[in-house]
Amino acid sequence: MRTTVGIIGAGPAGLLLARQLHLAGIDCVVLENRDRAYIEARQRAGMLEAGTVEALRAVGAGSRLDAEGLEHHGIELRFDGTSHRVDFRALTGRTVTVYAQTEIVKDLVALQLAEGPPLFFGAEAVAVEGADGGSPRVRYRHEGREATLECDWIVGCDGFHGVARSAVPAALRTTYERDYPFSWLGILADVAPSSDELVYARGATGFALLSMRSPTVSRLYLQVPNGTDPADWPDERIWDELDARFAAGSDPDWTLRRGPVTSKTLTPMRSFVCEPMRHGRLLLAGDAAHIVPPTGAKGLNLAVFDVRLLGRAFEALHRTGSTALLDAYPRAALRRVWQATRFSYDMTTMLHVPPGESDFDRRIELTRLERIATSRDAAAELAAQYTGLPLE
Ligand code: RFL
Ligand code: PHB
């Protein structure tokens, strides 16, 4: 098989890129090692920057998002017995939208299966070869057979555990990494969200986040030790701990609504950046090149930002023959990646309680939160980062 752009991975990055290329008249093929049901059910992100919403609309994937997405004008920070609202609209003029990653994937898969380009499920890329020459190729396994996809360009959108990154020779690759001494236990519950906006809480015993998927489904997260077995957390224990961490908002009437828990997952927290994001005719995008802890709600938004740059770069190449934008891609993408990495790190360290935290460290983190709660300048910086920095 032969194509212009071979895309590995049908997560949000690979699917959106395929759609952009298809609309620009550039042919491509997407290889995805899982099946459709699996990728459409994988519970992950929920909070979209305005630029992400625009990118989805621009490729014709905005109709359900516009009908069902929940526009949010701010978030609430709770710590030290008080609640503070960060008003994004007042501080930046921008808003964010709650719309689940599962729904974005469903919308993009439906479009691609209806209109093309080819999307192969159960197609596992095993190696990227020839990236530094003129004829790169992906070797993959599909329906029990080994096959080769010959390409002009390859884009690795295969997530953190994919194979594309390893095709950048180790001697040319630098990785920056930080693990955190805690994980998130995430639940979905069939109950109306207890707040109209997201609540990020630093309780005495750790972090908790109240988010949502719809007016009838809540998404909640709880900081737990690394290696926690979700089976050790029966529903009652989760609700009691969430209650304790969300307690003590300024509103005495606030209560956490409980309901049937329909899913429980554990997510370790990691910061990871791989440089460069290009090797010859191989480009990396999304989680294949970088991971942020989810506290800043940036992972999916960064993946979308990467492929917006790539979409424009391939379009320019197609129209004018110039690779200038492709050449500029790694630097442009990494500038934003590092901003988001710093922001996610700050949100994570400020809101979590690491094991053995000293009194001094606790006071420092509370002081950072208090500054955001009392200074328009400090709140505006959080709001600018959370709602998304401008495209350039
Ligand atoms: P994905 O979504 O991991 O997709 C990669 C795809 O590649 C496939 N694949 C392969 N295919 C073929 N051959 C191979 N060898 C392959 N190896 C892998 C995989 O099956 C998969 O389909 O990467 P992509 O597209 O870069 O998208 C990134 C996002 O998924 C991720 O950054 C976000 O989910 C992160 N994230 C959040 N991001 C936000 O912007 N806002 C949020 O609110 C937010 N919340 C979250 C999150 C991630 C979380 N978890 C579970 C890590 C909350 C959580 C709990
Ligand atoms: C989510 O709704 O899953 C979500 C929202 C905000 C975050 C992380 C996850 O920071």
Side-chain angles (χ1 to χ4, degrees), residues 195-220:
S195 160
D196 294 337
E197 294 183 333
L198 268 60
V199 181
Y200 289 80
R202 188 191 215 271
T205 54
F207 171 76
L209 170 60
L210 187 160
S211 180
M212 60 206 67
R213 288 292 173 261
S214 74
T216 55
V217 176
S218 296
R219 175 77 166 147
L220 295 125

Side-chain angles (χ1 to χ4, degrees), residues 74-78 83-86 195 197-201 249:
I75 56 167
E76 193 178 317
L77 297 176
R78 275 192 203 176
S83 291
H84 302 274
R85 181 160 186 267
V86 181
S195 160
E197 294 183 333
L198 268 60
V199 181
Y200 289 80

Side-chain angles (χ1 to χ4, degrees), residues 151-172:
C151 315
D152 291 340
W153 299 87
I154 296 170
V155 185
C157 299
D158 48 350
F160 184 66
H161 300 287
V163 297
R165 192 171 62 243
S166 60
V168 181
L172 302 178

Side-chain angles (χ1 to χ4, degrees), residues 347-368:
M347 288 287 279
T348 301
T349 50
M350 184 168 77
L351 286 161
H352 290 72
V353 179
E357 182 180 50
S358 69
D359 289 344
F360 177 84
D361 287 352
R362 182 172 54 85
R363 291 300 290 267
I364 290 290
E365 300 310 342
L366 288 171
T367 300
R368 292 166 72 191

Side-chain angles (χ1 to χ4, degrees), residues 367-381:
T367 300
R368 292 166 72 191
L369 283 161
E370 191 185 297
R371 179 74 186 152
I372 293 164
T374 56
S375 150
R376 188 183 167 94
D377 290 344
E381 167 62 8

Side-chain angles (χ1 to χ4, degrees), residues 292-320:
V292 287
T295 329
K298 283 284 159 267
L300 168 64
N301 292 300
L302 277 182
V304 167
F305 181 79
D306 288 351
V307 301
R308 287 174 86 186
L309 293 178
L310 282 176
R312 290 199 315 197
F314 280 119
E315 209 181 321
L317 174 65
H318 184 64
R319 263 190 300 109
T320 69

Side-chain angles (χ1 to χ4, degrees), residues 120-144:
F120 294 99
F121 291 108
E124 184 195 7
V126 290
V128 170
E129 293 171 350
D132 48 3
S135 55
R137 59 208 166 267
V138 184
R139 278 204 296 108
Y140 66 101
R141 231 177 264 126
H142 188 226
E143 293 171 345

